[in-house]
């Protein structure tokens, strides 16, 4: 086993990446309560919403209202996703001080997802990054389909490296590497991370695994052994991808935290409070929590 980090920062993506794929519109008040509950668990990074066009993601049409209403705690960051300058302006109008931009390592996925080539998407970000620098706004970059694409299949690692390097050079302080369809396995995840880390500092990298094939925790462990110390996850295992048929939810935050704590890795997160939040959200969504740790904790409590 490689050298594991002493502490890991979890980036909670449930309120955005988790909820955006829900078929039924989640009430604005429930979104606000979810974020406020998550803020009380010790999480330090909670992706609050997305300022994309409501036409494309109707679930997040209330982004401005949600962001304006949440209780923003000191020491907790609330990044929001923005696709372009218009999204950036909407986010800044309600006080967002950390944003995220997104592209893919797959040409086919990018064209289906945002109707642009990889290079076109990167050019779209240039004015956003320039304005963010002027405004002192931190920018996170997402690279999806790093271990496979639903349309083109295999994705060259060289493209993952190239896109990650460009985003970092453009000014993204952190690059999140996403296995959008969850087909990656530990050996491939490790090799991909090593390749990117040869061009982008490991401390600027995060991993984002979906659990479609049940590999997410194994993949996270493989990447922790390589030195990554930032992990994306969604409470109750919510999420998926509207452009990747069959892609199940993100790895559940509760499961990641349980694993990390079991290995003596600090997160600063109150696991029982997090699990309770996951059960609250699952009840609101009308289904069982997607977190195995959360379900086990509930069974023990009965």
């Amino acid at each position: 086993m490689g050298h594991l980090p002493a502490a890991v920062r979890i980036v909670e993506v449930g309120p955005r990446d988790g909820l955006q794929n829900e078929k039924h519109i989640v009430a604005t008040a429930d979104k606000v309560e979810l974020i406020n509950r998550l803020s009380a668990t010790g999480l330090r990074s909670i992706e609050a919403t997305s300022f994309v066009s409501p036409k494309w993601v109707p679930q997040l049409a209330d982004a401005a209202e949600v962001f304006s209403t949440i209780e923003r705690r000191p020491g907790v960051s609330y990044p929001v996703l923005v696709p372009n300058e218009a999204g950036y302006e909407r986010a800044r109008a309600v006080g967002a001080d950390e944003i995220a931009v997104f592209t893919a390592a797959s040409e086919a996925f990018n064209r289906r997802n945002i109707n642009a080539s990889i290079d076109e998407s990167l050019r779209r970000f240039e004015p956003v990054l320039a304005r963010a620098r002027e405004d002192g706004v931190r920018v996170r970059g997402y690279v999806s389909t790093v271990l496979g694409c639903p349309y083109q299949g295999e994705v060259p690692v060289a493209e993952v490296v190239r896109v990650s390097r460009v985003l970092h050079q453009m000014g993204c302080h952190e690059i999140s590497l996403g296995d959008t369809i969850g087909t990656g396995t530990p050996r491939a995840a490790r090799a991909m991370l090593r390749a990117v880390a040869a061009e982008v500092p490991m401390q600027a990298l995060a991993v984002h695994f979906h659990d479609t094939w049940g590999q997410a925790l194994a993949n996270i462990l493989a990447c922790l052994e390589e030195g990554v110390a930032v992990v994306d996850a969604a409470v109750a295992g919510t999420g998926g991808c509207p452009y990747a048929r069959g892609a199940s939810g993100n790895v559940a935050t509760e499961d990641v935290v349980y694993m990390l704590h079991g290995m003596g890795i600090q997160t600063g997160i109150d696991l029982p409070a997090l699990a309770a939040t996951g059960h609250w959200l699952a009840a609101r969504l009308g289904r069982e929590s997607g977190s195995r740790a959360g379900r086990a904790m509930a069974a023990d409590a009965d």
Side-chain angles (χ1 to χ4, degrees):
M1 181 178 287
H3 180 70
L4 293 168
V8 163
R9 176 167 58 87
I10 303 286
V11 177
E12 172 59 55
V13 299
R16 194 278 301 175
D17 196 24
L19 295 188
Q20 74 176 11
N21 298 305
E22 289 299 318
K23 293 181 175 63
H24 302 291
I25 298 297
V26 178
T28 300
D30 286 343
K31 293 173 186 171
V32 170
E33 184 168 353
L34 171 61
I35 295 168
N36 290 344
R37 283 173 175 258
L38 290 168
S39 294
T41 66
L43 283 157
R44 289 179 290 143
S45 299
I46 303 169
E47 193 174 58
T49 187
S50 173
F51 287 85
V52 298
S53 168
K55 182 175 73 172
W56 297 112
V57 186
Q59 182 68 259
L60 303 181
D62 57 359
E65 186 178 352
V66 168
F67 198 86
S68 299
T69 309
I70 58 173
E71 299 167 16
R72 296 169 66 183
R73 291 197 175 209
V76 181
S77 64
Y78 300 90
V80 298
L81 204 68
V82 302
N84 48 36
E85 272 196 281
Y88 179 80
E89 288 170 0
R90 289 175 58 212
R92 290 292 289 157
V94 292
D97 54 13
E98 185 167 345
I99 65 165
V101 295
F102 57 96
T103 188
S106 157
E107 201 67 68
F109 186 86
N110 242 15
R111 291 195 177 280
R112 294 283 191 105
N113 190 2
I114 58 175
N115 197 31
S117 70
I118 294 173
D119 289 339
E120 284 170 342
S121 72
L122 292 170
R123 283 195 293 273
R124 277 183 198 170
F125 299 150
E126 288 176 354
V128 176
L129 270 290
R131 292 184 63 174
R133 276 193 299 274
E134 292 173 7
D135 297 340
V137 170
R138 283 159 63 84
V139 184
R140 190 177 208 237
Y142 280 102
V143 183
S144 59
T145 62
V146 299
L147 290 171
C149 170
Y151 308 117
Q152 75 179 50
E154 191 173 332
V155 174
V157 173
E159 271 299 273
V160 181
V161 173
R162 181 182 77 86
V163 174
S164 301
R165 182 181 63 241
V166 171
L167 284 173
H168 188 248
Q169 289 172 342
M170 287 172 70
C172 291
H173 76 94
E174 190 166 274
I175 310 298
S176 175
L177 302 167
D179 182 13
T180 311
I181 56 175
T183 54
T185 52
R187 189 173 182 179
R190 190 190 301 272
M192 179 275 298
L193 179 64
R194 277 184 180 170
V196 177
E199 302 273 346
V200 179
M202 185 69 79
Q203 61 266 31
L205 297 177
V207 291
H208 182 122
F209 289 107
H210 284 215
D211 206 28
T212 316
W213 290 80
Q215 301 296 298
L217 287 177
N219 291 341
I220 289 169
L221 177 56
C223 292
L224 291 172
E225 290 174 353
E226 289 299 313
V228 83
V230 184
V231 177
D232 295 1
V235 66
T238 51
C241 178
Y243 301 97
R245 180 181 293 179
S248 60
N250 291 282
V251 66
T253 313
E254 302 95 311
D255 297 358
V256 176
V257 172
Y258 177 79
M259 180 181 79
L260 294 173
H261 288 183
M263 295 192 297
I265 298 173
Q266 297 177 8
T267 66
I269 294 169
D270 179 338
L271 180 54
L274 181 67
T277 299
H279 279 287
W280 173 87
L281 175 60
R284 282 289 188 271
L285 298 176
R287 61 171 182 265
E288 190 176 39
S289 171
S291 164
R292 292 183 180 181
R295 296 200 301 269
M297 291 173 72
D300 285 346
D302 292 340

